[in-house]
């Protein structure tokens, strides 16, 4: 069974490496590092600085102060990027109080790692891994936008008609081009559930070395409660393992979602925290 002490140093290395691999510039703020996207991609965040490796393994800077957070916030405002921080509660406990004192709202999400001994779900007939030229890639990168706009697991209103409208937005084409390039270069993989030519659920994983994070799994609200998110995640896991991943992890939206991912063999190892500016 995977344990917290086994996984967290490895995940900290991933969190520090992934933004750099994704084209971000790292700016040093002592106990914090701000990652700034320099290419046409998702904006990044600030997080605790990765300390130099030691005999005890990888660690992150501790003792983050309100002043440290405020210096980074000032730089984020200067750059006109989101005022956002991400970290693991168990490795940098001091950051939560500092972020809240600086006026940020902190959200916690179960941090889960795949148990390598877990039994895999059989492949779902509606789910496939997409190539960069897949004709349904544009709606596939649009579905999570609609899903996250209506959070939760309850069946919602947005369906194929809303997807058809949303994918006409020029931003959807920009996402398609970006993700297609990432698929071609091996920086991401995307799987989706497709039924009658309509993408109902999609998600990605981002590999860095032999570690892969499952991200952005979202189901069209009208298609929820059909097991599609689990099926897409299972396909992503299978593809990541087939491509050499040794550790696969994700952050669940909440405890209810975490219980669903547990059915795939994911086990909680900590809490991923996100701090941002309330709207």
């Amino acid at each position: 069974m995977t344990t917290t002490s086994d996984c967290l140093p490895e995940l900290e290395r991933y969190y520090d490496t992934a933004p750099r691999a994704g084209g971000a510039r790292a700016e040093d703020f002592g106990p914090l590092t701000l990652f700034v996207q320099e290419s046409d991609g998702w904006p990044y965040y600030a997080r605790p600085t990765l300390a130099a490796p030691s005999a005890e393994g990888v660690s992150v800077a501790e003792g983050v102060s309100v002043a440290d957070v405020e210096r980074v916030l000032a730089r984020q405002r200067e750059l006109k990027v989101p005022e956002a921080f991400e970290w693991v509660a168990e490795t940098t406990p001091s950051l939560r109080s500092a972020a809240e004192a600086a006026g940020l709202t902190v959200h916690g999400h179960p941090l889960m790692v795949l148990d390598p001994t877990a039994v895999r779900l059989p492949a779902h007939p509606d789910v496939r891994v997409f190539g960069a030229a897949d004709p349904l890639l544009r709606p596939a990168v649009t579905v999570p936008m609609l899903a996250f706009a209506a959070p939760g697991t309850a069946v919602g209103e947005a369906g194929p008609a809303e997807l058809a409208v949303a994918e006409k937005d020029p931003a959807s084409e920009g996402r398609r081009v970006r993700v297609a390039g990432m698929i071609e270069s091996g920086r991401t993989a995307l799987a989706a559930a497709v039924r009658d030519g309509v993408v109902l659920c999609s998600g990605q994983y981002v590999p860095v070395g032999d570690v892969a994070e499952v991200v952005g799994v979202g189901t069209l609200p009208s298609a929820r409660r059909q097991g599609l998110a689990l099926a897409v995640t299972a396909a992503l896991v299978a593809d990541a393992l087939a491509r050499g991943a040794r550790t696969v992890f994700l952050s669940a939206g909440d405890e209810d979602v975490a219980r669903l991912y547990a059915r795939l063999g994911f086990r909680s190892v900590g809490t991923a925290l996100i701090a941002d500016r309330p709207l």
Side-chain angles (χ1 to χ4, degrees):
M1 179 68 68
T2 301
T3 66
T4 301
S5 59
D6 292 336
C7 287
L8 292 187
E10 184 173 43
L11 300 189
E12 290 292 353
R13 282 193 296 270
Y14 177 95
Y15 284 133
D16 184 77
T17 306
R20 303 172 196 269
R25 178 181 76 252
E27 296 191 1
D28 182 8
F29 287 83
L32 296 169
T33 298
L34 172 60
F35 292 105
V36 181
Q37 180 61 266
E38 292 196 298
S39 61
D40 182 21
W42 296 289
Y44 284 110
Y45 43 78
R47 70 174 319 275
T49 298
L50 193 67
S54 67
E56 289 73 32
V58 174
S59 62
V60 293
E62 299 179 2
V64 181
S65 69
V66 179
D68 294 324
V69 172
E70 289 178 338
R71 280 194 293 273
V72 174
L73 288 172
R75 177 59 172 158
Q76 289 173 322
R77 288 191 292 270
E78 178 185 1
L79 294 169
K80 296 181 173 58
V81 298
E83 296 177 46
F85 294 71
E86 296 189 11
W87 73 101
V88 177
E90 289 73 13
T91 54
T92 317
S94 63
L95 183 48
R96 178 166 196 151
S97 59
E100 290 175 336
L104 301 179
T105 298
V106 178
H107 317 269
H109 304 276
L111 181 60
M112 309 183 77
V113 172
L114 183 70
D115 181 349
T117 68
V119 177
R120 306 287 173 246
L121 289 184
H124 192 289
D126 293 333
V127 176
R128 69 173 190 264
V129 176
F130 278 31
D134 195 292
L136 294 179
L137 185 57
R138 184 165 176 168
V141 299
T142 305
V143 163
M145 304 300 110
L146 295 176
F148 301 145
T153 60
V155 175
E157 295 183 359
E162 287 76 11
L163 175 60
V165 171
E167 68 173 291
K168 293 177 182 177
D169 188 317
S172 288
E173 175 61 11
R175 283 191 292 270
R176 184 201 66 79
V177 171
R178 181 171 66 249
V179 172
M182 293 176 67
I183 291 172
E184 281 195 326
S185 65
R187 290 185 291 127
T188 195
L190 182 146
V194 180
R195 189 177 299 153
D196 298 325
V198 178
V199 178
L200 300 178
C201 177
S202 69
Q204 299 177 51
Y205 72 81
V206 179
V208 176
D210 59 4
V211 180
E213 181 182 16
V214 176
V215 299
V217 177
T219 303
L220 200 62
S222 68
R224 288 172 177 163
R225 301 293 179 91
Q226 299 180 42
L228 297 178
L230 279 186
V232 165
T233 303
L236 293 169
V237 166
D239 191 71
L241 294 175
R243 293 173 184 259
R246 185 174 57 84
T247 299
V248 182
F249 77 102
L250 54 79
S251 298
D254 54 34
E255 292 294 342
D256 289 338
V257 176
R259 281 189 283 273
L260 294 176
Y261 284 129
R263 293 167 54 188
L264 294 179
F266 283 92
R267 307 291 181 245
S268 180
V269 297
T271 303
L273 295 179
I274 298 173
D276 52 24
R277 183 72 66 185
L279 297 176

